[in-house]
Amino acid sequence: MSSTKSVLRVENLVTRFKSVERGKWVKAVDGVSIELRPGEIVGLVGESGCGKSTLGRSIVGLERPQSGRILLDDIDLSGLGGRKLRETRRAIQYVFQDPYASLNDRQTIGEAITEALVIIGIHDRTRQRRRVHELLDQVGLPDTVAERYPRELSGGQRQRVAIARSLAVEPRVLICDEPVSALDLSIRSQVMNLFLTLQKDLGVACLFIAHDLALVRQAASRVYVMYLGKIVEQGTSLDVYERPTHPYTRALLASIPSADPRIEATREVPALLGDIPSPTNPPSGCRFRTRCPSAVEACAVAEPPTVWVGPGHGAACIFAAQIRATEVVPQPEPQRLPQQLSA
Ligand SMILES: Nc1ncnc2c1ncn2[C@@H]1O[C@H](COP(=O)(O)OP(=O)(O)O)[C@@H](O)[C@H]1O
Ligand SMILES: [Mg+2]
């Protein structure tokens, strides 16, 4: 796809769970391919339940995929085992939505970070202490936080600590699963800015999972849109947000309520209606067809391949080319008529 070598490549990944319905499978991730280049922040968006976390968890080994490949610097992780796999996988770290999930309440912050340092072989006390302070500084926290316990910190500070702890093992890739969703609105942008700083300063690539499209737009250079276990659209943030081509992306964007009543009144694309179908029994053909305003009979027959409508901009819809061609060019603000003409 690009000449730049990817740091992480996921090919045709499938992760299924045993369903409560006997003999059936929850197809949470059903043939997903994505890639991250070094130092790139890439968004992964889609409604709740579409498989974003399962994809992220599969990449770091918290879920076991049925098939597909995960490559780190072109090394296929499925070809590794035991210690070699653990060591290689360390380059990919997961940042949870709830920072409590990754912090032990009985450990001070300094101890938690030191534990991670020991994993990569830093045993010297002085070096450990120096590195703990360095890492806290990198995430914008003072040294004194090292002596504190997680419960003594605010949500935003805890998330910073969780990030510092992930960084301790010097990862190449962070999988950030809704890392600011649990935080107060007022501190979200501060933590978001931290991700941008880390990307710039450390060159860590980041898969940024979020259902909040506005957040992703702010941070990510490229975006994958996921629906019911599949990637339905991908492209630069500009492509996906300004020239959305899959009807799902369009509906998703239209679902963001606008503060401007004029925009609300002139909505062209209907906002997303109804609920996401069950991943145990997804619709045949295109999975979005049951909620798609443009669906025709053909959509039920075969799964639509990704149609490339621009460099790196793809949409899995049989109408992608037409949608792209008939794209409504945004009109400039209507000019107010001079008083004398409006009478
Ligand atoms: N451990 C599990 N066992 C069974 N089903 C699961 C499990 N984890 C997730 N699922 C199901 O997989 C689908 C995708 O879930 P998830 O990856 O959490 O989506 P998202 O993060 O996009 O909200 C959902 O239908 C969810 O109920
Ligand atoms: Mg999730």
Side-chain angles (χ1 to χ4, degrees), residues 167-185:
L167 294 175
V169 297
E170 297 169 11
R172 315 263 330 269
V173 178
L174 289 182
I175 309 284
C176 306
D177 195 352
E178 314 239 11
V180 300
S181 303
L183 304 180
D184 287 343
L185 267 183

Side-chain angles (χ1 to χ4, degrees), residues 17-343:
F17 301 107
K18 277 222 164 68
S19 167
V20 285
E21 293 176 60
R22 250 184 100 89
K24 297 210 164 183
W25 293 92
V26 180
K27 297 161 188 160
V29 174
D30 207 19
V32 164
S33 300
I34 63 170
E35 69 164 333
L36 260 71
R37 293 173 210 132
E40 189 183 37
I41 297 186
V42 173
L44 177 65
V45 300
E47 283 162 291
S48 176
C50 70
K52 306 181 297 295
S53 295
T54 305
L55 174 58
R57 292 171 59 84
S58 303
I59 294 171
V60 293
L62 292 167
E63 306 290 353
R64 182 192 277 268
Q66 262 68 34
S67 60
R69 303 205 304 165
I70 299 163
L71 299 104
L72 185 78
D73 291 322
D74 286 337
I75 300 167
D76 186 350
L77 297 187
S78 57
L80 306 175
R83 188 165 152 207
K84 186 83 188 128
L85 176 63
R86 272 201 310 280
E87 279 173 11
T88 311
R89 205 167 238 155
R90 211 174 285 145
I92 316 172
Q93 291 288 313
Y94 200 79
V95 176
F96 292 85
Q97 173 174 346
D98 173 11
Y100 262 129
S102 49
L103 296 174
N104 178 342
D105 222 17
R106 273 172 297 200
Q107 258 182 345
T108 64
I109 302 309
E111 285 163 357
I113 299 177
T114 303
E115 208 175 60
L117 293 173
V118 169
I119 292 176
I120 57 162
I122 299 179
H123 296 286
D124 178 78
R125 294 292 297 161
T126 319
R127 248 185 97 198
Q128 285 175 347
R129 208 165 310 125
R130 201 176 50 227
R131 188 75 182 118
V132 165
H133 291 167
E134 233 169 56
L135 286 159
L136 287 174
D137 185 53
Q138 249 160 13
V139 298
L141 292 172
D143 289 359
T144 49
V145 166
E147 276 74 57
R148 303 275 192 79
Y149 287 89
R151 62 174 177 278
E152 299 176 287
L153 305 180
S154 71
Q157 289 173 322
R158 278 200 297 270
Q159 193 57 295
R160 286 175 192 269
V161 168
I163 295 165
R165 192 167 187 271
S166 308
L167 294 175
V169 297
E170 297 169 11
R172 315 263 330 269
V173 178
L174 289 182
I175 309 284
C176 306
D177 195 352
E178 314 239 11
V180 300
S181 303
L183 304 180
D184 287 343
L185 267 183
S186 57
I187 51 171
R188 276 188 199 178
S189 58
Q190 295 171 18
V191 177
M192 282 308 296
N193 285 336
L194 172 61
F195 282 108
L196 294 172
T197 315
L198 294 176
Q199 176 213 18
K200 257 209 321 270
D201 295 352
L202 306 177
V204 185
C206 176
L207 183 68
F208 194 89
I209 301 176
H211 64 270
D212 184 335
L213 289 145
L215 264 186
V216 172
R217 180 178 198 161
Q218 181 199 340
S221 55
R222 285 193 306 120
V223 181
Y224 290 99
V225 181
M226 197 167 176
Y227 185 76
L228 215 53
K230 300 257 180 209
I231 300 296
V232 296
E233 183 156 0
Q234 57 189 284
T236 63
S237 294
L238 194 70
D239 285 335
V240 172
Y241 286 92
E242 300 289 333
R243 300 179 276 267
T245 298
H246 196 287
Y248 177 60
T249 314
R250 301 188 132 211
L252 205 56
L253 289 171
S255 302
I256 305 175
S258 172
D260 184 342
R262 273 179 318 174
I263 293 178
E264 283 292 304
T266 58
R267 248 187 216 295
E268 268 177 69
V269 183
L272 208 45
L273 299 172
D275 292 328
I276 189 164
S278 158
T280 308
N281 298 300
S284 66
C286 171
R287 293 180 183 200
F288 185 56
R289 69 179 167 84
T290 53
R291 300 167 81 191
C292 182
S294 322
V296 294
E297 271 175 34
C299 301
V301 180
E303 203 174 288
T306 297
V307 177
W308 298 100
V309 293
H313 185 194
C317 171
I318 54 172
F319 295 120
Q322 275 131 291
I323 292 175
R324 196 67 178 72
T326 59
E327 177 191 10
V328 185
V329 179
Q331 297 299 311
E333 289 279 286
Q335 296 282 315
R336 218 180 280 277
L337 284 174
Q339 282 300 316
Q340 63 269 35
L341 290 178
S342 63

